[in-house]
Amino acid sequence: MSDAMSDVREVNFDGLVGPTHNYAGLAHGNVASMRHGGLASNPREAALQGLAKMKSLMDAGYAQGVLPPQQRPDLGALRALGFTGSNAEVLARAAGEAPQLLRAVCSASSMWTANAATVTPSRDAPDGRVHFTPANLQSSFHRYLEPETTARVLAAIFREPAHFAHHPALPATPAFSDEGAANHTRLCGDHGESGVHLYVYGRQAFGGERGPQRYPARQTLEASQAVARQHGLGEAQTVFAQQHPEAIDAGVFHNDVIAVGNGPVLLYHEMAFLDEEETLDALRSRMATPLIPVRVPGEAISLAEAVSTYLFNSQLLTNPGGDMTLVVPGECQENETVWRAIQDLLLAGHNPIGEILVKDVKQSMRNGGGPACLRLRVALSAQERGALGGRVLLDERLHADLVGWVERHYRDRLTPDDLADPQLAEETLGALDELTRLLGIGNVYPFQLG
């Protein structure tokens, strides 16, 4: 390994929960989101829960970054759909004529930055740069609104072209439906070593493979292949595996709800892949470091339990001591069956997982996102970390500043009916304007760009 790659650290860039965090039940196929639709949310608590998770991992020695939320409500989207007048008039008319549209343009779903983009580290790219492709998120309208701002945010942070390459989102059509890193796992030895990229798709756009019957498959094979091509990855560096259709129909809308990888370890449910053995064999044949599969059988944890507790949507991290830590949502500890399986299969098993950390992210969980949804993983060398724009790597001061910002600007209760309040829109725009100055990332929001 070269000296440039010996200081590589994986940085988890967590999404800040936005001021309009609400339970609108927008995500078809996301069981938790649909179950909690219409309930009152607590945006302040949600944001503080996310920041507490970030700080606890920072305190434990992990590299932690921050990504800002999107501009919501997206008044530009409402105007493009024919709503006219002042901001207050646009909101009032949307609330009266198309309340589901209003809920969509107020969604805080960008907090789940695992869907923001797919990332290839410089160690694997032929040009020696870190590559980013924003996900088009075309499967749902409320997420389709995100990629344009996501691309600006990523370009503002990863701004040095000598180190970072930015690609356009794929065409926003069903054939190239792309949901980002939630369907991508990089497996390797050390983070600075070359890796193998596991892309998991739910369907083929131009093929007749078996697909789900109840809920939509959000990632296509064609999209995954296109991202790999954009990043210059070859056949020896990639594995494309189909997600099990029965898992999708059980509510596993992304692969990161049923599998998580870190280093050479792949923790997965037996129903994660349509062809389990073929997937594992393909990984073994390409990896320089032996694969360590950690299989959880359905008799230990059912698909329903995996979805309700988000065990596999945990963060699997290499801790400073070299072992691995699994960061699980509190729902895992509350479920006796899942908690027993964690003790018996993971902690007592023959694998590097030696520690379980339990984190309370209930506000995110009720909307259908666990610890792993909240972060985008980016492996960066010291030189690349030094080239980052803005103030986005978490430290004590930044954490304190962000907590203060949330406490100044966020409401502690929000219902779907509140989304039509023009004062909420004004509060949010003022908060985001202050945030971009706090983070030092410049003007990235539509209202700032005129």
Side-chain angles (χ1 to χ4, degrees):
M1 190 189 312
S2 69
D3 290 341
M5 289 295 109
S6 63
D7 56 7
V8 170
R9 298 188 71 189
E10 181 182 79
V11 183
N12 284 271
F13 284 87
D14 280 36
L16 281 169
V17 180
T20 61
H21 164 66
N22 70 93
Y23 298 134
L26 297 170
H28 184 58
N30 182 326
V31 175
S33 173
M34 294 188 297
R35 184 188 307 127
H36 294 100
L39 297 182
S41 65
N42 187 332
R44 182 184 300 168
E45 181 181 56
L48 293 177
Q49 284 177 350
L51 283 166
K53 178 178 83 74
M54 294 183 225
K55 186 176 187 301
S56 68
L57 294 179
M58 178 195 76
D59 289 342
Y62 299 100
Q64 181 66 58
V66 178
L67 293 178
Q70 300 259 329
Q71 177 185 326
R72 296 292 180 268
D74 189 336
L75 291 161
L78 290 178
R79 293 182 185 280
L81 294 171
F83 297 99
T84 59
S86 67
N87 287 349
E89 290 168 337
V90 166
L91 291 169
R93 188 177 168 194
E97 298 177 18
Q100 277 301 100
L101 277 182
L102 177 60
R103 294 181 184 191
V105 302
C106 290
S107 172
S109 55
S110 66
M111 64 180 166
W112 298 313
T113 54
N115 301 121
T118 304
V119 184
T120 294
S122 56
R123 181 66 177 85
D124 299 339
D127 64 359
R129 297 188 294 170
V130 184
H131 286 247
F132 298 85
T133 297
N136 62 30
L137 300 175
Q138 67 86 47
S139 294
S140 51
F141 174 66
H142 69 288
R143 303 223 64 180
Y144 161 80
L145 299 174
E146 296 175 21
E148 191 173 329
T149 295
T150 296
R152 284 196 296 268
V153 168
L154 293 175
I157 295 171
F158 303 95
R159 63 175 60 165
E160 290 291 339
H163 297 292
F164 307 115
H166 296 274
H167 302 276
L170 300 181
T173 68
F176 293 99
S177 182
D178 178 28
E179 302 264 320
N183 293 312
H184 168 261
T185 301
R186 179 178 183 260
L187 295 160
C188 56
D190 183 87
H191 290 302
E193 297 175 10
S194 59
V196 172
H197 296 254
L198 172 61
Y199 293 88
V200 181
Y201 63 94
R203 63 182 173 88
Q204 288 191 43
F206 308 113
E209 284 195 25
R210 175 182 168 192
Q213 302 300 307
R214 182 182 183 190
Y215 292 134
R218 301 189 189 182
Q219 185 82 25
T220 65
L221 170 63
E222 290 80 0
S224 296
Q225 291 172 330
V227 171
R229 282 194 297 270
Q230 282 184 332
H231 296 196
L233 297 177
E235 184 178 353
Q237 297 172 287
T238 55
V239 173
F240 299 94
Q242 185 175 358
Q243 189 176 357
H244 204 297
E246 291 180 25
I248 296 174
D249 283 336
V252 180
F253 51 96
H254 293 135
N255 182 63
D256 69 357
V257 179
I258 202 70
V260 59
N262 178 59
V265 175
L266 180 63
L267 170 63
Y268 70 99
H269 191 276
E270 69 167 309
M271 294 292 287
F273 310 109
L274 182 59
D275 194 327
E276 177 184 354
E277 284 307 312
E278 181 179 297
T279 300
L280 297 180
D281 288 346
L283 290 170
R284 290 187 180 107
S285 70
R286 289 163 172 79
M287 289 177 61
T289 299
L291 176 70
I292 304 175
V294 182
R295 182 181 192 265
V296 177
E299 61 208 30
I301 296 177
S302 68
L303 275 176
E305 288 166 328
V307 171
S308 66
T309 64
Y310 271 36
L311 167 62
F312 298 93
N313 197 247
S314 301
Q315 288 178 260
L316 186 57
L317 306 169
T318 302
N319 61 45
D323 293 329
M324 292 196 187
T325 298
L326 190 68
V327 183
V328 304
E331 284 74 3
C332 289
Q333 192 173 36
E334 295 164 6
N335 184 298
E336 183 179 347
T337 299
V338 171
W339 192 245
R340 187 187 316 116
I342 288 173
Q343 309 304 313
D344 295 344
L345 296 175
L346 301 185
L347 290 180
H350 299 290
N351 63 74
I353 303 172
E355 180 185 28
I356 305 294
L357 292 181
V358 180
K359 297 298 173 187
D360 179 7
V361 288
K362 277 187 171 57
Q363 286 286 325
S364 174
M365 285 285 289
R366 288 173 187 158
N367 238 351
C373 282
L374 289 163
R375 58 94 171 100
L376 179 68
R377 308 163 75 174
V378 187
L380 297 168
S381 68
Q383 190 176 32
E384 290 159 352
R385 295 193 297 274
L388 295 178
R391 185 182 168 218
V392 294
L393 294 180
L394 198 68
D395 56 24
E396 294 284 351
R397 184 178 172 189
L398 178 57
H399 174 263
D401 287 346
L402 290 171
V403 167
W405 174 78
V406 168
E407 291 177 340
R408 284 193 302 277
H409 294 290
Y410 280 51
R411 299 186 181 189
D412 61 9
R413 177 180 168 82
L414 201 62
T415 69
D417 289 342
D418 295 328
L419 301 178
D421 180 3
Q423 184 58 38
L424 175 65
E426 291 301 314
E427 292 170 9
T428 300
L429 295 185
L432 296 179
D433 200 38
E434 181 181 324
L435 179 64
T436 55
R437 295 195 300 272
L438 191 156
L439 295 178
I441 57 173
N443 295 335
V444 295
Y445 294 117
F447 78 93
Q448 296 175 318
L449 300 171

